[in-house]
Amino acid sequence: MNAKKILTISLLTAMAASGAQFTFLNADGPGEGLNSTQAVSPVGGNPATTLGQQRLAALRRAGQIWGAYLASAVPIVVEVSFDPLGAGTLAAAGPEDIEQNFSGAPLANRWYPIALANSLAGSDLQPSRADISMTINSGARTVRHD
């Protein structure tokens, strides 16, 4: 993870035994992104009344949806920040690391994104790092979760 101050918010999503659990790490500074206290009206099934709370609720919902389609006994850790990304870009995300030749790898000498490698290995191969880094466009104002 980055050396910058990170306020950690764990959003553990209850999943079926075969589903994946997501933990989101808040990489935003005070008053921005997930920490925004800007007052907003509830929208689209999202009852939160601050922009930061709405963003958190949307992440929880995304974790529930992703978790329902993915099988992993190892929680998937996603470091999240909200920053301007320009018109037409909603978000950008990618693996924080890649691994090869770990115990449980189906093929030798093949690179696997860390979240997949963790799942195949049955343990967290990089426990001190997030698995995925995600930047979401802070210009997106309506946060729905339905």
Side-chain angles (χ1 to χ4, degrees):
M1 282 182 252
N2 298 337
K4 66 183 177 179
K5 180 180 175 189
I6 297 176
L7 171 63
T8 302
I9 296 178
S10 293
L11 304 173
L12 303 179
T13 307
M15 293 287 105
S18 64
Q21 178 182 355
F22 283 82
T23 299
F24 296 93
L25 302 178
N26 180 349
D28 287 317
E32 69 174 1
L34 292 171
N35 302 317
S36 174
T37 58
Q38 176 185 337
V40 294
S41 298
V43 62
N46 189 331
T49 56
T50 70
L51 186 56
Q53 291 171 344
Q54 281 191 350
R55 288 170 170 167
L56 230 53
L59 281 172
R60 276 193 204 112
R61 183 66 182 125
Q64 291 170 342
I65 293 168
W66 293 337
Y69 288 95
L70 300 174
S72 179
V74 181
I76 299 168
V77 180
V78 183
E79 184 177 82
V80 180
S81 64
F82 281 77
D83 293 306
L85 293 177
T89 303
L90 178 59
E96 280 288 306
D97 199 2
I98 53 176
E99 293 287 334
Q100 70 173 347
N101 301 325
F102 51 88
S103 176
L107 299 170
N109 302 316
R110 300 292 193 278
W111 291 103
Y112 294 86
I114 190 64
L116 177 57
N118 289 343
S119 180
L120 294 169
S123 65
D124 194 339
L125 300 172
Q126 295 287 333
S128 63
R129 296 184 62 184
D131 302 314
I132 298 169
S133 176
M134 178 174 16
T135 303
I136 301 171
N137 190 345
S138 59
R141 293 290 175 207
T142 302
V143 182
R144 300 176 64 108
H145 74 45
D146 57 350

